[in-house]
Amino acid sequence: MNEFEFVTDEGFFIWNTCTVFHGFVKSGEITTNDRIKLNSTDGAITAKVKLIVVLSTREIIKKSIQSEKIAIGIDRFEKQDLNTFWNKYNPDLDEIAPKVEEILKISYPLVISKT
């Protein structure tokens, strides 16, 4: 089986739930609860896959499909400060939400792989 490779150019937060990336499964597969890795300017970041959604149907699936456009929701980051960053933001009071790119220190296109 090919190594999992997911290419994304968009990410956003679902506050107090998970960080979501939309993209394309270039190779391999990933399942819910697998650990993933992405690279930031501060080094590798690892997290756990919380959910996988097929973008064309909005169906929640347990295993990715190669060559499919999906959304991957991740949480339980290895770096503890990334698990609580949204506690600093109050959508009722703060006008501007922090961007995924700023919090995780990433740039696009971003490649996510399985650890």
Side-chain angles (χ1 to χ4, degrees):
M1 178 173 293
N2 295 340
E3 184 175 323
F4 177 72
E5 189 174 348
F6 176 76
V7 181
T8 179
D9 59 7
E10 179 183 20
F12 58 93
F13 301 117
I14 299 175
W15 296 104
N16 293 316
T17 302
C18 64
T19 303
V20 177
F21 291 100
H22 286 178
F24 181 77
V25 180
K26 190 170 179 182
S27 64
E29 63 184 35
I30 194 95
T31 61
T32 305
N33 293 319
D34 280 347
R35 299 226 32 104
I36 58 92
K37 176 181 80 166
L38 54 96
N39 291 315
S40 77
T41 58
D42 283 349
I45 296 173
T46 59
K48 199 170 222 180
V49 176
K50 183 172 185 170
L51 69 118
I52 304 167
V53 178
V54 177
L55 292 178
S56 62
T57 63
R58 302 290 187 219
E59 177 186 359
I60 296 173
I61 57 176
K62 298 213 180 275
K63 181 170 65 172
S64 67
I65 302 164
Q66 188 168 331
S67 302
E68 185 76 49
K69 288 186 179 184
I70 62 171
I72 296 177
I74 62 173
D75 68 352
R76 294 189 240 163
F77 291 91
E78 187 175 288
K79 295 178 182 177
Q80 190 55 40
D81 61 324
L82 295 178
N83 290 313
T84 58
F85 64 84
W86 49 53
N87 293 338
K88 299 174 186 171
Y89 171 74
N90 181 341
D92 295 327
L93 301 176
D94 298 327
E95 291 182 28
I96 300 174
K99 295 183 179 184
V100 171
E101 300 86 349
E102 295 168 1
I103 297 292
L104 299 182
K105 299 179 182 172
I106 58 170
S107 59
Y108 299 110
L110 178 69
V111 176
I112 296 176
S113 58
K114 191 167 24 174
T115 60

